[in-house]
């Protein structure tokens, strides 16, 4: 059993890694250090190599899992994520991504017959209203094209998460999916070769994103996950857009608008209400 202090440290590192992906991608693409396809390819290659090494050290042999369908969902997330961050600020991108991921998983639960209580419904509507408010046209609205790409990336990550749930070693599955995604990512790079541009700093940021904030970050998260309740894990991830927002302001000099602040409260608050009320309802039923 993992101690409370180790659990807290590992959880914090995982959330910092997830937020770090947004910051690294935006820093690389927003300043034109690398194109989106090359960033995706380098991220997938570095992530695959790191996760394969972790699995090999853990099991003394390279035992991989996953599937091609999951790899396709992983690539759709990673590519959409990269192309979206050409135009999106780190904070808006992380918020849209997180909202889309949670929305996808909530939608799946509803389609599977899960029933909502009144407070859960209110939370879901509050989060949806916040997302709509963020995307409505206006001076401070994020670019529509980038927003739609990030929404698609969030849906793909939600699908990937749903496909990866269940029995088996999650790190092995992720390593296998990263390895399968590499040739698909390289194909996108080949098809967009005329738009390719890359300098040393851009390549470094992409490799850090793949090896550390993706590969090591996912490995840490999957070590932590068995020790957390599902509701606790979902609630913990509410911190990712907040960390990305502060990181964007401090490290990338991005503005923090009232619109982003208010819609963040609506989206994250609505999701928190949904998760908390669902947990309480489940506890009541068990009693």
């Amino acid at each position: 059993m993992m101690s409370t202090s180790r659990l807290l440290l590992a959880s914090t590192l995982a959330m910092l890694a997830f937020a770090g992906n947004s910051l690294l991608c935006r820093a690389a693409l927003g300043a034109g250090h690398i194109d989106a396809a090359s960033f995706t390819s380098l991220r997938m290659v570095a992530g695959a190599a790191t996760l394969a090494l972790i699995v090999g050290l853990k099991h003394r042999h390279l035992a991989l899992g996953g599937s091609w369908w999951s790899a396709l969902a992983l690539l759709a997330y990673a590519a959409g994520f990269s192309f979206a961050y050409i135009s999106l600020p780190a904070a808006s991108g992380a918020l849209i991504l997180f909202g889309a991921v949670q929305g996808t998983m909530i939608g799946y639960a509803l389609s599977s017959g899960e029933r909502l209580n009144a407070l859960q419904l209110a939370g879901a509507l509050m989060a949806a209203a916040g997302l709509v408010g963020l995307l409505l046209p206006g001076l401070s609205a994020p670019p529509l094209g980038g927003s739609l790409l990030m929404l698609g990336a969030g849906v793909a990550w939600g699908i990937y998460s749903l496909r990866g749930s269940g029995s088996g070693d999650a790190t092995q599955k992720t390593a296998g999916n990263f390895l399968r995604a590499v040739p698909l990512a390289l194909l996108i790079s080949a098809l967009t070769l005329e738009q390719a541009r890359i300098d040393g700093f851009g390549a470094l940021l992409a490799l850090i994103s793949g090896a550390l904030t993706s590969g090591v970050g996912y490995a840490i998260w999957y070590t932590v996950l068995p020790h957390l309740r599902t509701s606790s894990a979902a609630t913990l991830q509410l911190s990712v857009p907040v960390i990305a927002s502060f990181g964007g302001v401090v490290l990338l000099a991005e503005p923090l608008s009232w619109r982003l602040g208010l819609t963040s409260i609506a989206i994250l608050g609505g999701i928190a209400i949904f998760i908390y009320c669902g947990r309480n309802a489940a506890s009541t039923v068990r009693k």
Side-chain angles (χ1 to χ4, degrees), residues 13 15 28 37 55 59 68 84-85 93 99 101 107 170 187 195 203 228 233-234 244 255-256:
L13 290 174
M15 295 307 101
V55 170
H59 296 279
W68 281 103
Y85 268 129
V101 171
L187 177 60
Q195 288 79 45
L228 295 173
L256 189 60

Side-chain angles (χ1 to χ4, degrees), residues 3 7 11 20 83 102 112 127 132 137 153 188 204 224 237 240-241 251 267:
S3 68
L7 184 62
S11 299
F83 280 93
Q102 295 298 317
S112 300
V132 171
I188 294 176
L204 176 63
V224 168
Q237 292 178 72
V240 174
L251 300 176
I267 294 170

Side-chain angles (χ1 to χ4, degrees), residues 17-18 20-25 28 34 38-54 74 77-78 81-82 157 171 174-175 178-179 182 201-220:
F18 293 163
N21 272 324
S22 291
L23 297 172
L24 289 167
C25 191
I34 191 172
S38 296
F39 186 94
T40 303
S41 292
L42 287 175
R43 182 185 177 189
M44 291 293 101
V45 169
T50 302
L51 285 163
L53 178 61
I54 291 171
L74 174 64
Y77 147 73
F81 182 90
S82 299
W157 186 254
T171 306
T174 305
F178 262 80
L179 284 170
V182 167
F201 187 62
L204 176 63
L205 293 179
L207 291 172
I208 292 173
S209 176
L212 293 180
T213 56
S214 293
V216 174
Y218 294 161
I220 292 173

Side-chain angles (χ1 to χ4, degrees), residues 39-184:
F39 186 94
T40 303
S41 292
L42 287 175
R43 182 185 177 189
M44 291 293 101
V45 169
T50 302
L51 285 163
L53 178 61
I54 291 171
V55 170
L57 292 173
K58 181 179 178 181
H59 296 279
R60 305 298 180 185
H61 65 283
L62 192 57
L64 301 177
S67 69
W68 281 103
W69 283 113
S70 291
L72 189 61
L74 174 64
L75 179 67
Y77 147 73
F81 182 90
S82 299
F83 280 93
Y85 268 129
I86 293 174
S87 59
L88 285 183
S92 297
L95 184 60
I96 294 169
L97 177 73
F98 180 83
V101 171
Q102 295 298 317
T104 300
M105 300 184 80
I106 290 170
Y108 175 79
L110 293 176
S111 68
S112 300
E114 186 172 319
R115 295 288 183 265
L116 302 184
N117 58 47
L119 286 176
Q120 280 185 295
L121 180 59
L125 291 175
M126 179 178 170
L131 190 56
V132 171
L134 177 65
L135 300 179
L136 281 175
L139 291 177
S140 59
L144 181 60
S147 298
L148 293 176
L149 282 169
M150 192 60 84
L151 281 171
V155 171
W157 186 254
I159 292 171
Y160 179 80
S161 300
L162 290 167
R163 286 186 57 83
S165 61
S167 60
D169 188 314
T171 306
Q172 286 182 320
K173 291 181 182 178
T174 305
N177 291 329
F178 262 80
L179 284 170
R180 291 180 179 88
V182 167
L184 302 176

Side-chain angles (χ1 to χ4, degrees), residues 271-283:
I271 293 172
I273 290 170
F274 183 94
I275 294 168
Y276 181 76
C277 293
R279 180 184 62 188
N280 281 353
S283 298

